[in-house]
Amino acid sequence: MSAAADSPLAKLFPSPNHGERKDGLLPEMVILHYTGMPGAKAALKWLCTPESNVSCHYLVQESGKILQLVPESRRAWHAGAGSWRGRDDINSRSIGIEIVNLGHDGASVDPDDPRKSVPGAPTGGPLPPYPARQITALIGLLQDICGRTGISRRAILAHSDIAPRRKRDPGEAFPWGQLAAAGLGLWVEPVPIRSGHFYQRGDGGAPVLALQQMLAMLGFALAPTGCFDEETEGVVRAFQRHWRPGRVDGIADFSTITTLRDLLKIAA
Ligand SMILES: [Zn+2]
């Protein structure tokens, strides 16, 4: 690693876990993650241990301190299997940022008895919030990265966008609207949730096919089959996590479908 961090906002904390970007690919998107671990120390240990085979380019601590683990020119190992807009090998095409946050597993911690924590358990309570100074630091880092590399300010995605059935981070507590206010990410105000017609697991036909086509047009890897299957439900849930976080239930209601339609209008 060179002696200086790529970003003037970061301090070096080198990880050995990286390789060459495939076929000379350049980063064209930023993938946001949460660490899902208590504090930065445990996460840094994991991200810098050769045995873990995982890393990221940047880690943003709760205090707002930013560390660079892998040079931007190298392929960090943060995304795993995934796809967006028909493109795979996301690691070769992206810069990965880990944000220190307990995430969904943190929400399953019983505050009165942390031993009851069950990793991977469904969300049991409100997700741990991202502190303001951490988000301010992240916004600064994203502005810096996009300004230096030419990555589109719209191409800032969740890990759950590119791996919807495998990943939930950075989760529905992540303040995408705040990033959008700073000109970062693709965002429209979610359409308010109200009663009305909806589609869910087991449904089929032309409206489901249209929904799948819209989700695929946005970028999700989803085959338009016309059947609202488990996979479709997972993608709808991932969509909601990012773009309609008020309710993440995998049911395509009016608010979900209309928010998706509004997003596609500006995504073109
Ligand atoms: Zn992740």
Side-chain angles (χ1 to χ4, degrees):
M1 183 176 237
S2 56
D6 290 308
S7 171
L9 303 170
K11 294 233 172 347
L12 285 184
F13 196 98
S15 165
N17 300 338
H18 54 85
E20 260 181 62
R21 293 186 184 274
K22 298 259 168 68
D23 306 323
L25 286 168
L26 294 171
E28 59 188 75
M29 57 183 118
V30 179
I31 305 294
L32 301 183
H33 306 260
Y34 63 49
T35 55
M37 286 181 172
K41 210 175 162 189
L44 281 168
K45 196 174 172 194
W46 181 242
L47 293 163
C48 295
T49 301
E51 291 73 38
S52 76
N53 284 315
V54 295
S55 62
C56 58
H57 293 95
Y58 295 98
L59 178 117
V60 182
Q61 295 182 218
E62 284 158 309
S63 64
K65 188 178 172 189
I66 301 169
L67 300 174
Q68 180 166 17
L69 283 67
V70 172
E72 290 175 5
S73 60
R74 303 284 291 171
R75 182 178 178 274
W77 304 337
H78 56 96
S83 163
W84 190 251
R85 291 194 164 178
R87 291 167 185 188
D88 57 9
D89 192 4
I90 300 297
N91 281 339
S92 281
R93 303 176 189 273
S94 65
I95 287 179
I97 300 178
E98 286 279 359
I99 308 161
V100 175
N101 183 279
L102 261 177
H104 291 85
D105 289 344
S108 63
V109 174
D110 181 341
D112 297 326
D113 186 359
R115 287 168 303 171
K116 285 184 188 160
S117 165
V118 185
T123 302
L127 290 169
Y130 290 87
R133 56 189 171 178
Q134 186 180 34
I135 295 304
T136 303
L138 174 68
I139 286 173
L141 177 63
L142 289 167
Q143 299 284 20
D144 167 60
I145 291 171
C146 294
R148 276 187 299 102
T149 63
I151 295 175
S152 164
R153 283 179 166 75
R154 286 183 160 194
I156 296 164
L157 294 165
H159 197 189
S160 54
D161 294 332
I162 63 115
R165 295 187 62 202
R166 201 166 56 80
K167 291 293 173 182
R168 296 183 286 179
D169 60 318
E172 53 272 36
F174 184 78
W176 291 103
Q178 212 180 317
L179 265 64
L184 297 162
L186 184 69
W187 181 257
V188 293
E189 257 333 285
V191 172
I193 298 168
R194 63 177 202 220
S195 58
H197 202 72
F198 58 84
Y199 301 94
Q200 63 182 352
R201 187 115 159 244
D203 288 344
V208 172
L209 184 70
L211 168 69
Q212 291 169 326
Q213 285 169 334
M214 289 200 297
L215 288 164
M217 210 179 291
L218 187 62
F220 287 101
L222 182 63
T225 59
C227 300
F228 201 119
D229 52 9
E230 197 184 340
E231 202 179 335
T232 305
E233 187 182 72
V235 170
V236 169
R237 198 173 272 129
F239 173 83
Q240 292 169 333
R241 254 185 236 299
H242 185 158
W243 285 287
R244 209 290 304 271
R247 192 190 289 164
V248 180
D249 58 4
I251 295 171
D253 56 10
F254 176 83
S255 153
T256 302
I257 295 169
T258 312
T259 305
L260 172 57
R261 194 167 291 158
D262 290 350
L263 265 175
L264 287 173
K265 280 183 201 156
I266 64 157

